Amino acid sequence: MEIPQNKAINIEALKNENNEWITEIYLMADELEVLNMRLGEVSKLVKEKKFKAQVEHFQNQFIRQKEVLDIYKNHIHKQEKNLNLHAKNGDLIPEKMDINAHQELKENLALNRKINVELKQNFYQFLEQHY
């Protein structure tokens, strides 16, 4: 959603976008759990030191990605509280409210999607090459 400069924005539209993001974050977190379980299975089979290092690399990446998703969830929940405060005053966000945070979060989530896709692709390539 492109946020126009100096325009009142519908709070419900922003809240809907937040809800979509939260759903997406939970799906990504679930997917990371599945990948991490698969990695655990693979790590039991790996004996060579070189491959153990790669397993550890993916473990670290999955942990970090989960931490990032948790940070985004917290940001979205804070933003939701802020939106609810403004909703008490009417349906539109006043022009004085800084909605750059919403746009920045949107851009960060888009970047995180790309990182998540690359991580999964790299992990699947690792599995294909070695198992």
Side-chain angles (χ1 to χ4, degrees), residues 7-69:
K7 298 284 182 186
I9 304 300
N10 185 302
I11 286 178
E12 287 306 311
L14 296 176
K15 289 173 77 170
N16 287 338
E17 194 165 41
N18 282 349
N19 288 335
E20 290 173 12
W21 293 342
I22 287 291
T23 300
E24 181 181 7
I25 287 170
Y26 279 110
L27 289 171
M28 282 192 277
D30 288 347
E31 195 172 35
L32 283 171
E33 279 297 314
V34 170
L35 294 176
N36 201 37
M37 287 189 309
R38 179 69 178 124
L39 185 62
E41 295 167 2
V42 168
S43 71
K44 294 175 187 173
L45 304 173
V46 172
K47 303 295 182 215
E48 298 174 41
K49 193 173 187 174
K50 174 184 174 183
F51 300 124
K52 284 282 189 193
Q54 288 177 305
V55 166
E56 187 175 322
H57 165 75
F58 283 111
Q59 286 172 331
N60 292 338
Q61 291 297 308
F62 294 157
I63 290 168
R64 180 62 187 135
Q65 187 65 13
K66 175 92 171 67
E67 291 171 347
V68 169
L69 292 176

Side-chain angles (χ1 to χ4, degrees), residues 84-92 94:
N84 287 334
L85 287 174
H86 285 282
K88 290 179 182 179
N89 297 328
D91 286 336
L92 299 178

Side-chain angles (χ1 to χ4, degrees), residues 70-112:
D70 287 341
I71 290 168
Y72 288 141
K73 274 193 290 190
N74 289 334
H75 283 298
I76 292 169
H77 288 304
K78 286 178 186 175
Q79 187 177 52
E80 192 73 19
K81 286 179 184 177
N82 190 20
L83 289 172
N84 287 334
L85 287 174
H86 285 282
K88 290 179 182 179
N89 297 328
D91 286 336
L92 299 178
I93 297 175
E95 292 180 10
K96 65 183 177 184
M97 182 182 170
D98 179 18
I99 50 179
N100 290 333
H102 185 85
Q103 187 65 30
E104 184 178 329
L105 184 57
K106 182 177 185 170
E107 292 167 4
N108 287 339
L109 285 168
L111 177 61
N112 191 68

